[in-house]
Amino acid sequence: MVLDLEDSVPGDLKASAREMARTTLAELRAQHARLGLFVRPNALATRLAGADLEAVVCPELDGLFTPKIEDGTDVLRWGTLIDWFEARNGAEGLEMIVPVEMVGAITNCFEIAAASPRVGAMIGPTSEHADIARAVGYRQSPEGSETLYLRSRILLACRQNGLHPLTGLWEDLADLDGLRAFADYGLQLGFRGQVIIHPSHVAVVNEVYTPSDADIAYYEDLVATVEKATAEGHGAVRFRGQHVDLAHADKARDWLAHARQVRGEA
């Protein structure tokens, strides 16, 4: 859950929003020990980020949703602030989720992903009207082809650096069928989660990204089939009409490890 201090908060409400966020963090943590709690502070260029972090960095916080990052230097600037306020406010181990909102971030995404061990996830950009749409100048389509290249760069940067790849928002709050198709396409590309903006989207996205019992059974059977073939001296084998070999089994084992973690079985 991300508490927003940035674009959704008018300038004259920034101070009260910080107080509300700090109180809410404590309340949420008391109710949900395992819930990931993040705050989106204001961008570095606004000169409000320090006051935001001073207010919200606390033992209840898991990390920051750091906006308007363009390169690795921005990551290090955020990291220096986080170091300071962790030591000052008794927090530790805060992660950074990096939403890709600027053209520079797309160009420099591999540099950003590798800039700090605090970076735990990046978000492949999609939006009809927000920062990335303005920066790139595209017109959004239901199928999302205009952001395929942008998202794919972020996905590969995450994979190369062991980060959690998230796809961006579906902003039509009432179109749950469109949301499902969009989420399924993100899963097809290789993303492992999605940012959502409204409670009505939670169930749909969770369903899409949570591996089913049938998926689990398929990959378990694939691994067992390859292991049996290997024990019998075969490097490849027919499995449900398909050719599979050791590489397929390795992919299946990785997928099963992720699936069990998502389902709370690991």
Side-chain angles (χ1 to χ4, degrees):
M1 183 174 290
V2 181
L3 307 181
D4 189 21
L5 299 178
E6 196 206 16
D7 288 345
S8 67
V9 180
D12 61 341
L13 298 179
K14 296 291 187 184
S16 60
R18 293 182 191 118
E19 296 176 8
M20 181 181 294
R22 180 65 187 88
T23 300
T24 303
L25 287 170
E27 292 173 349
L28 288 172
R29 178 58 70 226
Q31 297 171 30
H32 306 284
R34 298 184 60 209
L35 177 64
L37 295 177
F38 285 73
V39 168
R40 180 165 76 159
N42 289 280
L44 294 169
T46 66
R47 304 183 71 180
L48 299 173
D52 292 339
L53 268 59
E54 183 173 25
V56 302
V57 170
C58 59
E60 292 85 0
L61 188 67
D62 291 303
L64 296 161
F65 195 92
T66 45
K68 309 300 190 290
I69 283 178
E70 295 213 40
D71 54 29
T73 299
D74 284 344
V75 174
L76 297 178
R77 292 170 68 198
W78 276 110
T80 299
L81 280 173
I82 295 169
D83 286 344
W84 169 257
F85 287 110
E86 274 188 344
R88 179 182 176 121
N89 295 1
E92 61 181 356
L94 297 186
E95 286 189 283
M96 294 169 60
I97 297 175
V98 178
V100 175
E101 305 166 289
M102 315 297 288
V103 171
I106 297 166
T107 303
N108 301 318
C109 60
F110 290 88
E111 172 190 325
I112 291 168
S116 168
R118 287 193 186 276
V119 179
M122 294 178 71
I123 301 173
T126 60
S127 175
E128 185 171 4
H129 301 297
D131 295 307
I132 190 66
R134 184 179 63 196
V136 176
Y138 61 74
R139 185 180 68 183
Q140 190 174 40
S141 64
E143 63 274 11
S145 58
E146 68 285 342
T147 60
L148 176 60
Y149 172 72
L150 313 183
R151 286 189 281 165
S152 296
R153 281 187 59 84
I154 306 312
L155 175 65
L156 293 177
C158 287
R159 291 299 186 193
Q160 181 170 308
N161 291 277
L163 309 183
H164 192 61
L166 300 167
T167 190
L169 291 170
W170 177 259
E171 293 177 299
D172 190 335
L173 302 185
D175 184 4
L176 298 185
D177 290 335
L179 168 66
R180 183 179 300 278
F182 176 82
D184 188 70
Y185 186 47
L187 180 65
Q188 177 185 334
L189 291 174
F191 288 97
R192 289 296 176 260
Q194 178 177 325
V195 181
I196 59 176
I197 199 168
H198 193 270
S200 65
H201 290 187
V202 173
V204 174
V205 171
N206 279 346
E207 181 181 341
V208 170
Y209 280 96
T210 300
S212 68
D213 292 341
D215 292 333
I216 295 282
Y218 174 87
Y219 283 110
E220 287 179 339
D221 193 16
L222 189 156
V223 171
T225 300
V226 173
E227 288 178 346
K228 182 176 182 294
T230 302
E232 295 172 352
H234 303 291
V237 66
R238 181 185 294 268
F239 172 72
R240 301 191 186 185
Q242 295 182 318
H243 162 95
V244 297
D245 56 25
L246 296 176
H248 295 79
D250 288 341
K251 185 261 186 180
R253 291 187 189 97
D254 288 347
W255 186 93
L256 284 166
H258 167 76
R260 288 167 181 148
Q261 184 178 35
V262 170
R263 288 160 56 107
E265 299 168 359

